[in-house]
């Protein structure tokens, strides 16, 4: 009887040892990696001067969460004011210009974990005064 109790105790201790060794009672949780969002500022735009340009970043996405912040900023060109710059939908007003010009804007989106992504959009503005200027009398004589 004493021998049976020792065998039972040894078998129980061995089983408990193997369960703990194999991770049977581990309390660690797996680490989940956050995927950065995808920023979509939109397609390049060609527009006449003295116009309003609407930006739409609403097609930006995040596969494992949601976008909690939008931020539009200008990164190149004559300085312009961006209205609603902290929204998916922003806009600018193009002033009267003296020559064709390019303006570059950047959208930064941030997800609920703090990861961010950027996308740029170029706005090419056409000086319409150049298109509608009539030739001078001197130019007419030369033709």
């Amino acid at each position: 009887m004493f021998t049976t109790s020792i065998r039972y105790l040894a078998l129980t201790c061995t089983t408990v040892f193997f369960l703990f060794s194999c991770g049977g009672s581990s309390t660690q949780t797996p680490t989940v990696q956050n995927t950065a969002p995808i920023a979509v500022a939109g397609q390049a735009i060609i527009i006449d001067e003295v116009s309003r340009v609407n930006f739409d970043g609403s097609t930006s996405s995040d596969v494992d969460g949601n976008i909690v912040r939008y931020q539009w900023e200008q990164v190149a060109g004559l300085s312009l004011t961006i209205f609603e710059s902290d929204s998916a939908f922003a806009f600018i007003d193009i002033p009267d210009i003296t020559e064709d010009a390019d303006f570059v804007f950047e959208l930064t989106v941030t997800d609920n974990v703090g990861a961010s992504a950027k996308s740029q959009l170029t706005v090419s503005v056409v000086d319409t005064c150049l298109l509608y200027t009539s030739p001078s009398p001197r130019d007419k004589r030369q033709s």
Side-chain angles (χ1 to χ4, degrees):
M1 176 118 161
F2 180 71
T3 311
T4 307
S5 295
I6 291 176
R7 284 184 189 157
Y8 178 72
L9 180 61
L11 182 61
T12 302
C13 288
T14 304
T15 304
V16 169
F17 173 76
F18 282 119
L19 282 175
F20 281 108
S21 298
C22 295
S25 65
S26 174
T27 58
Q28 293 179 346
T29 56
T31 303
V32 178
Q33 293 291 334
N34 179 48
T35 302
I38 298 170
V40 181
Q43 298 291 322
I45 298 170
I46 300 173
I47 193 162
D48 292 342
E49 62 185 335
V50 193
S51 298
R52 175 162 287 179
V53 177
N54 295 303
F55 299 144
D56 181 358
S58 67
T59 58
S60 300
S61 62
D62 186 32
V63 297
D64 59 353
N66 55 8
I67 295 175
V68 296
R69 184 170 186 259
Y70 295 86
Q71 186 63 52
W72 292 92
E73 67 178 306
Q74 184 176 352
V75 295
L78 176 70
S79 182
L80 299 173
T81 300
I82 304 172
F83 298 94
E84 306 290 330
S85 64
D86 60 350
S87 165
F89 302 96
F91 66 93
I92 57 171
D93 288 326
I94 303 293
D96 186 13
I97 58 175
T98 57
E99 62 184 4
D100 294 355
D102 287 334
F103 301 87
V104 180
F105 298 89
E106 186 170 76
L107 169 64
T108 302
V109 294
T110 306
D111 71 9
N112 56 308
V113 181
S116 62
K118 298 177 184 245
S119 177
Q120 290 188 346
L121 164 69
T122 299
V123 177
S124 297
V125 180
V126 178
D127 178 11
T128 54
C129 290
L130 293 176
L131 298 176
Y132 304 112
T133 303
S134 61
S136 68
R138 181 177 176 170
D139 291 335
K140 288 182 182 179
R141 281 184 267 140
Q142 290 179 353
S143 23

